[in-house]
Every structure is written in structure tokens, then in C-alpha cells.
Amino acid sequence: MKRKILMLVTLLLSIAMVFSACVVQEGSKGGTDQNGTGDVVKAPDKLRIFYVTQGATVPEDFDYQNNTILNLIAKAANVEIVEAIVPPWSDIVTKYNLMMSSGNICDVVHYNGPQTINNDGKNGAFLDLTSVINNSAIIKERYSNFLEQLKAEDGKIYALRALPADGDINMCFYFRWDVLQDLGYTEATIPDTLDEWIEAMRKLKQKYPDAIPYTSMDNLHWSEFVFSCYGITGRGTAWQEYFGKAIHSFEHPLIKDALSTYKMMLDEGLMDPEFITSKRADFDAKRWNKKVLINQQNLGAAMVFASRYMSNNIPEARTVPGIWPFVDDPRVDPASIYEGILPVGNSVVAIASTSKVKDAAIRFVEEMLSEETQTYITWGIEGVDYEVVNGEKQQILDDGSGTQNFTQAKSLYNWLFAVNTRMNIEKSFKATLNAIKNANPGITQAELDEYSRISWKYFNKALEINNSYPTYVLNKFITLNDDTAARATEAANEALIIVTKAMRGDISLDEFDVQAANFLEKYKFITEEYNQKLPAAYKLVGREYGK
Amino acid sequence: MARKNDILIELNEKRGFKKSRDLPIYMLLLPGMLLLFVFHYIPLFGVAIAFQNFIPFKGVLGSQWVGLKNFEYFLKDQNFWRVMKNTLEINLLEIVFGFPFPIIFALLLNELWSSKFKKTVQTISYLPHFISWVIAAGIFRSILSPSSGIINVFLKNVLGMQPIHFLSIAGYFRPILIIAGIWKGFGMNAVYYLAALSSIDAQLYEAAKIDGAGKWRQTWHITLPGLKNITIVLLVLQVGSLVTIGFERIFLLYNPLVYEVGDVISTYTYRLGIEQVRFSLTSAIGLTQSVVNFILVYSTNRLAKAVAGWSLW
């Protein structure tokens, strides 16, 4: 008897193991149900979604699959979200690639990077949305002016991109206004040039030897301060626009000047020598505790970043958006750093071609574009996050607990409405002021007004300067071939090694020249492909190649 | 001798499959075998993608066949040969410095008289084995931090030296890696040797003592031969994975400045596969790795048989 039981248990265990390894979750069509009145109601379709946070601050206990705003949107679309995959912001590429490699793609995919979606779309992963747009009143209404900009190289539309934002500039930074004031700076003497910023860093280091005036992260920041001052885009390791053509940063005539500046900053202790091994947590710890003077952020985030300091118990911090201080040299192309408003953004939504609930997925996407959703994600819930006074919405500010009463993480669902609209930034800035007020009970209204004035002055100035430049298209409207894109990632890794070694002085600038030349020769084909595709991309934003 | 014969007779009687007696025992093998089959044999069909330009949405049947193109690509790639060299060198260093360490430790531990102290040391030594590499790497990063790490604080405050950014200097990276590996693994490996030591007949030591053998003689003629089999097993397994190396340890400790000496096949394929989505290429590398590992295991086993007269199979 015992033996038989043993055999049975073993057999069951084996079967269970095999089945547990083979289970695949899939969306399924909802059936029909009856409501209380006897009417037949279609049960919600089960939907799986993959979405990214776009760097939004999300409370730790937030439920990505089951929360007020998402449930409202899902209910309106008559879908039930049965799975929501939301990777950490720093890990989106890995998690997206893992999902794609499994072949088990979520019904609706929200991602940052239209090029990736277009390439995967061409390979059959995503639905061509052309007919979906034509058949949907709401999508057609929202996108009829941007159809050309949505098209992939094969002429099909795989991704809906975020609608234009009137306050969105990627390349920006904030500075610690309170730290500058502590060093004796006034509004009239806020640094304007790179040299003046470096001088401020020196003063900071002199007054607080333990301070770290400037730091970066393990693979360098996406818009390195010093590189940007020399007109070199991003990390100094990738391809960029330069006077209307595509070049690699290593071809930029000022790359060695920028590297020398970094080396000088490292030698003088102005830059954190640990940047290359700093992970996100180390970077944040320094940012909060070591009086880091300058930090790169997009303009919207730069405007409201003080709230992050408040929630990290640094009540004295006041952050103000900065204006890039270009070095005075005709070889700097400001258009490669400043950027005009994009016709459509980089946050995209696509529908899996393998989805068994395509209609439900389309309904869900339509709902993401509805007026109601726009209200939810901008204002939150009436009575909780805002109230209507004399016919106008007014946000309800709380006691400074960090949520400012806005329904938690509502901005997460700004998938197709850009996050950094002027209205959103204004509301977030009010919440920031509220957080400052709560963290500093003794602060006067006059002090808050003064901080508000200087912040908006710099915000408007940054926006105005950026909008006076043409749209930057290289990483927005050019999709490299599959193989070239993969090699470009490999190339960026190689370039990073060369750049960091030169920054630290591990290799001389002469040696840098040799390594850069070899690099450029090896990856010449990428530069060529960019230049080949640039004219068409320029055409989408009304620019001309070579100008 | 008579006892040995009795055992052999008994074994012969037991030989042969008897359903009522043996089936339940064999059934216990089933879950393990199934696991092996599902997770190690079925995926073997995926090897096909090494010969394709594999696109996940098109599947194995729908993707284009490209023959040996992927193999050609990585064999011509300078980066591949750099990571291959690093993998071999780091593994060889681990064998040279890491392999004898648990043996020596087990021998020393075996000589302790106080069993309480022995157990305490043993427990402390194998605890790191149970710490994940994420935590262990965090500990090493903290200890070695140029600004707040205990080593640099000592160098700066006691010796008056400039802080050293250990993890970003190629010359320090491999020693740190080897030390981290030894620290994490020697306690657990020593357990295998201690188990083997406990199986050595105590009478042999008594006889050696009567014959006048000292500690060294006893170790040389009794203890080490007693450890021969387990040493060969572990050595064959370690040599067999000479072109394979633990991913997490390196991934969590390395950075672009030490790629030259620290980038190995596993980290390279991670970047190719997960960051660059080149699954066919990584499969081709993985397949090559497996073939080389198989050849190495086979050769080492043959060598062990020729030299030590004992082998795994």
C-alpha cells in the first residue's frame, strides 16, 4: 500500500512539474454575463500589458496592475488587466528584450523608443495600426496631423507616439540655488559660462571639502554636463547631429577639450572619481548628501526636483532649471544640444500582432486617448485630487506627505499625452512649493514667491531658447537596420571605455586619437547609415540635410 | 577477505531488476529525470537558432537559415578572443589559487581537537556560500570604496596614502575577483573534503603512529590519498568548465574600465543577447562553449585515469 502511495505521489509530482513548466498566460476573450436587470453584458476581455514608468516617482506600495486610475481606464474600455509587467526604469531595455525573446508579448506594449518598436514591428511583432487609426474617430482626431511622423521605414505604423508637449525638453539640468547662495552668489551672479560653473564648484569644494560638486553614474549620464557645454551630445560615446549631418562624438573637433576639462575636474576633486562604478543608489546618496551642484534632468523634472530633496529630508534644497553654458567657440553647434519641440514624442504604444484580444487592445488604446483619461492623468479624481471652483479645476494640496493628494502615480498613464505639458509642470510646481512649505514650517510666503519667480524665469528662458532651435531628429526619427542598431550598442560600450580612460588620464590624448581613429574606421558604416537616413528624417520636421 | 567475498555474493544475489522491489525506487528518479529532460534536453532543439538569423516572432521554423555565419562572425570578432582569453585566464587563476585552498582548510580543520570550535569555524566559513552574489558584491564594493571603504580609510588615515579606486584599475580587478570567489566558496568546498576525510579508516592513522609516522607522513601517505577521489572529481568538473565562468560575480563587480581583463564570455554574451538582441550569435557562442567544455571534461577525465588511476567514468 505504502509503495503504491509513494508511486502515485511521485507520478503526480512529476506531472505537476512538467505542467508548471509549460504554462503560458494569455489574454482571453471575455464571455457574456447578465446584469441585475437581465440585460446581457459583455464580460471584460482579459488584457496583458507591458508599460514603463518613464522615470516617474512611484510610491513603494503602489500596485501597477490594480489601482484607481488604471482601473477606471480599464473599466471604460471594458477590459480586465490580468497582468501588468512594469520593469524598473533603469531596466526597461533588458525586460523588454526578454519579453520579446520569449515570443510571449503582452497585448498592449508601452515603451520608450519608437525605433525599437518599429524594428520589431517590421519583423512581425506588432500590428500595423494604419487601418486602426482610420477606423477610430478618437485616434484619427488625435493623430491626423502626424501620420507621416508615425510611419516606419516600410510605410506602416506600428507605434502611436506621445502627442506633442509644450513644456518638454530632454536636454536640461538643474542647479542647487541654495548651495550657490551659501557660496555668496546672487541672482545677478549665477554662473553663465562653463568656466564660471567650474569656479563655483571650486568655491564649494573649498568651503566644504567633503562636498562632491559634480558626479555621474556607471555608464555616464545620458546628457553629460561638460560634454554638452562643448556641443557634444549625450555621453560623448554616440552618434549625434552636427551642423546638419551625422557624426560620432569622436569626430567632434572639441572632444579632446571636453576630455581635458573632465580630467581637470577629476584632478581637482570637483568630479566624483567613483562615477564609473556608481550605481543608481550611490548616485542618489551623493546627490542628496554631498551638495552636488549640478544634475541633468529634463526641463519638467528640473523644475520640480526640489520635492525629491524634501522627501529625502533635505529641507534647505532649492533646485532651479539651468541654461546650457556653451563654450565660446564657432565649432559648437547649439542645435545638437538644444532641441525644438518634437511633433511626436518617444513614449509609444503598440499592439502585439499575436494578441488574441486585438479589439479589446484597440479599445484600451482608444481609452488612453480619451478626454476622461486626460482628466484622470492630469487632475486625478474629483474631490480627492481636485475640486471645481467657479467652473475651474483647482488642485487640492495636502499636508506634504509626498503624494499631494493626487491619486498615486497618475502620471504613469501619460502614455500618449506627454508628461511634461505646461499645465502638468505648473501643477507639479505648486505641489513642490507645498512640499517645501511643509518641510520648512518657518518659511515665509515672500521667500516662496521669490523662489517661484526665479524658477519660472529660468524655465521660460530654457524653453524659449530651445524652441528657437530646430527639432533634433537623430534618435527620434531614424531607425537603424537591426544589425546596425545592435552594432551601435556594442560601439557605444567600446566608446565608453575609450572616453572614460581618457577622462581619467589612463590614456593620453595622443593615445585617445589613435583609439578614436580605429573606432571610427571600424564603425564607419553606422555613420554612413545615419547620414543616408538623415535627409528623410529632416524632411519630417521641415529641416534640410547639411544645414 | 572472507567478509569482502560475502558482500560480493550478496550483491550478485541482488543483481537484476525485480519489479516489486525496485520499481518504487526507480520511480523516485522520475521527477529528477523529467526535470532534466524538460529543462536540459528539450531546449537542445533551440540549438538550431545558432545556424539562423533568429527572429523570436517568426519562430525557429520561420527564421532564415544562415549556416555558419554566426560562428564566422564571432570567430573573427576581436572582442570574442579577448573575452575567451579572460575567461581562460581567470579560471586558471581560480584553479591555481582557489582549488588548493579548501583542501588546506579542510586538513587544518580536521586537526582541531575542540569539536565545538571546529564546528563554529566550519559554520562561519561556509556561511558566505549562502549569501547571494548581489549582497557579496555589495560588501566588496563597500569595503573597496575609495571614499568610505575600510581599506582606503586605512590607507589614507593610517598610512597617509592616496585612496585607490580598486575596482576601476585593471591590475587589481582579477585578484579581487579571485579573493571574492575563494571567500565565498572555500567553506562549502571544504565540506566535501571533510566528508571524505571522515571516511578514512582511523585504524590507518593508528597503524601509522605505531610505525613511527609523524603528522606530515600521516598526511602525505594516508590523508591525501584518501582525498584523491574527491579531488579528482572536483578538478575534472572545474577543468570541464574552464571556458565557463560564473556570470553574477563579474557582472556585479566589473565596469568598462576593467573590460580588458574582466570581461568574460558570459558577460559578453549577456550584452550581445539581452542588450543587443542577437540571440543567434549568443547561441552560437554557447554551443561552441559547450563543445569545448565537453572536450575538456573528457580529456581531463582521461588524464586523471592515466595519471592517478581513477576517473569519473
Side-chain angles (χ1 to χ4, degrees), chain A residues 393-411:
Chain A
K393 292 188 186 78
Q394 285 185 4
Q395 65 195 93
I396 299 171
L397 297 169
D398 70 358
D399 60 355
S401 60
T403 59
Q404 277 76 46
N405 268 351
F406 303 137
T407 305
Q408 292 198 331
K410 68 183 189 322
S411 66

Side-chain angles (χ1 to χ4, degrees), chain A residues 3 7 10-11 14 17-18 21 94 97-98 100-101 105 120 123 125 273-274 276-277 279 282 483 486-487 489-490 493-494 496-497 500-501 504 506, chain B residues 20-21 23-24 27-28 30-31 34-35 39 55-58 73 79 141 145-147 165 168 255-257 259-260 270-271 274-279:
Chain A
R3 280 185 177 170
M7 285 169 70
T10 314
L11 203 64
S14 311
M17 269 199 264
V18 173
T94 310
N97 286 343
L98 282 172
M100 301 312 277
S101 66
I105 311 167
D120 289 337
N123 288 326
E274 287 180 73
I276 197 71
T277 49
K279 300 295 171 199
D282 308 318
D483 191 50
R487 297 292 302 276
T489 310
E490 168 194 303
N493 277 329
E494 281 183 33
L496 183 67
I497 299 170
T500 42
K501 281 185 175 174
R504 297 199 336 167
D506 294 353
Chain B
S20 59
R21 183 192 63 193
L23 189 64
M27 285 292 282
L28 288 174
L30 194 64
L34 271 172
L35 270 183
F39 291 107
I55 292 168
F57 337 112
K58 291 184 179 169
Y73 178 88
N79 289 337
R141 290 162 65 88
S145 162
S147 54
H165 197 179
S168 69
N255 62 74
L257 285 178
Y259 275 6
E260 217 169 298
Y270 168 82
R271 292 202 305 276
I274 304 298
E275 291 178 5
Q276 299 176 30
V277 208
R278 298 163 95 178
F279 302 117

Side-chain angles (χ1 to χ4, degrees), chain A residues 335-449:
Chain A
S336 59
I337 303 298
Y338 288 139
E339 50 185 35
I341 284 182
L342 280 171
V344 280
N346 269 358
S347 162
V348 298
V349 172
I351 296 173
S353 59
T354 49
S355 172
K356 290 191 169 70
V357 284
K358 289 189 184 76
D359 289 343
I362 293 166
R363 281 202 312 274
F364 183 70
V365 172
E366 284 179 322
E367 202 50 48
M368 293 306 284
L369 284 163
S370 71
E371 293 283 344
E372 290 80 9
T373 297
Q374 196 169 11
T375 305
Y376 292 142
I377 59 182
T378 309
W379 289 96
I381 309 295
E382 188 175 354
V384 178
D385 306 309
Y386 73 95
E387 55 193 350
V388 181
V389 180
N390 298 328
E392 283 196 4
K393 292 188 186 78
Q394 285 185 4
Q395 65 195 93
I396 299 171
L397 297 169
D398 70 358
D399 60 355
S401 60
T403 59
Q404 277 76 46
N405 268 351
F406 303 137
T407 305
Q408 292 198 331
K410 68 183 189 322
S411 66
L412 266 184
Y413 302 103
N414 264 305
W415 293 3
L416 294 169
F417 296 110
V419 179
N420 288 329
T421 57
R422 178 103 191 182
M423 184 196 277
N424 278 341
I425 294 167
E426 273 174 18
K427 284 167 67 271
S428 298
F429 188 71
K430 274 185 193 166
T432 301
L433 290 178
N434 190 46
I436 292 174
K437 201 171 162 183
N438 287 307
N440 298 272
I443 198 165
T444 63
Q445 189 56 44
E447 284 173 296
L448 282 174
D449 289 345

Side-chain angles (χ1 to χ4, degrees), chain B residues 3-304:
Chain B
R3 190 168 169 265
K4 196 177 176 184
N5 284 339
D6 289 346
I7 293 168
L8 284 173
I9 291 162
E10 201 182 328
L11 279 173
N12 278 331
E13 280 172 0
K14 283 184 177 174
R15 226 166 250 170
F17 179 79
K18 280 187 182 168
K19 192 180 166 190
S20 59
R21 183 192 63 193
D22 298 335
L23 189 64
I25 310 293
Y26 278 105
M27 285 292 282
L28 288 174
L29 267 176
L30 194 64
M33 296 296 283
L34 271 172
L35 270 183
L36 199 70
F37 183 72
V38 171
F39 291 107
H40 289 87
Y41 280 86
I42 293 179
L44 277 179
F45 294 105
V47 163
I49 71 171
F51 305 94
Q52 291 184 324
N53 178 18
F54 176 68
I55 292 168
F57 337 112
K58 291 184 179 169
V60 178
L61 297 176
S63 297
Q64 184 198 359
W65 290 89
V66 294
L68 295 173
K69 197 179 154 195
N70 292 313
F71 294 86
E72 251 180 72
Y73 178 88
F74 77 75
L75 290 173
K76 281 182 187 167
D77 183 9
Q78 286 175 350
N79 289 337
F80 174 76
W81 292 108
R82 186 194 67 198
V83 296
M84 175 62 106
K85 181 172 158 275
N86 286 342
T87 311
L88 284 170
E89 284 178 1
I90 291 171
N91 268 326
L92 283 171
L93 285 170
E94 291 238 292
I95 290 176
V96 172
F97 294 102
F99 193 76
F101 206 85
I103 302 176
I104 296 165
F105 180 69
L107 289 175
L108 293 173
L109 213 56
N110 199 42
E111 294 303 319
L112 288 176
W113 286 44
S114 162
S115 66
K116 203 174 174 185
F117 182 66
K118 185 177 168 179
K119 280 179 182 167
T120 310
V121 172
Q122 203 179 337
T123 307
I124 293 171
S125 66
Y126 74 64
L127 266 182
H129 173 78
F130 298 101
I131 297 174
S132 88
W133 266 115
V134 177
I135 310 284
I139 294 171
F140 273 86
R141 290 162 65 88
S142 300
I143 291 173
L144 299 169
S145 162
S147 54
S148 56
I150 189 164
I151 294 179
N152 271 309
V153 168
F154 177 79
L155 292 177
K156 199 176 161 187
N157 296 348
V158 179
L159 303 180
M161 289 169 64
Q162 282 295 312
I164 301 169
H165 197 179
F166 291 102
L167 287 173
S168 69
I169 298 171
Y172 290 113
F173 187 72
R174 283 186 183 173
I176 290 167
L177 210 61
I178 306 293
I179 290 168
I182 292 174
W183 170 77
K184 201 163 177 308
F186 84 95
M188 195 60 191
N189 286 336
V191 171
Y192 307 134
Y193 294 108
L194 282 168
L197 284 172
S198 67
S199 69
I200 297 173
D201 193 343
Q203 289 180 33
L204 293 173
Y205 290 105
E206 283 165 23
K209 270 184 204 166
I210 292 166
D211 289 344
K215 273 286 167 201
W216 283 113
R217 286 267 174 206
Q218 286 175 40
T219 305
W220 189 253
H221 291 289
I222 302 168
T223 313
L224 288 180
L227 293 178
K228 189 179 77 179
N229 291 358
I230 184 71
T231 308
I232 288 172
V233 170
L234 292 177
L235 188 66
V236 168
L237 290 177
Q238 196 157 346
V239 172
S241 55
L242 211 54
V243 289
T244 311
I245 201 162
F247 167 77
E248 299 128 295
R249 178 175 34 145
I250 296 183
F251 183 73
L252 292 162
L253 287 172
Y254 84 158
N255 62 74
L257 285 178
V258 295
Y259 275 6
E260 217 169 298
V261 294
D263 196 15
V264 292
I265 295 178
S266 54
T267 48
Y268 177 65
T269 49
Y270 168 82
R271 292 202 305 276
L272 283 179
I274 304 298
E275 291 178 5
Q276 299 176 30
V277 208
R278 298 163 95 178
F279 302 117
S280 293
L281 190 57
T282 49
S283 299
I285 295 174
L287 184 60
T288 311
Q289 222 177 341
S290 302
V291 170
V292 175
N293 277 341
F294 175 76
I295 294 168
L296 283 170
V297 169
Y298 186 77
S299 316
T300 319
N301 195 55
R302 289 290 296 266
L303 195 69

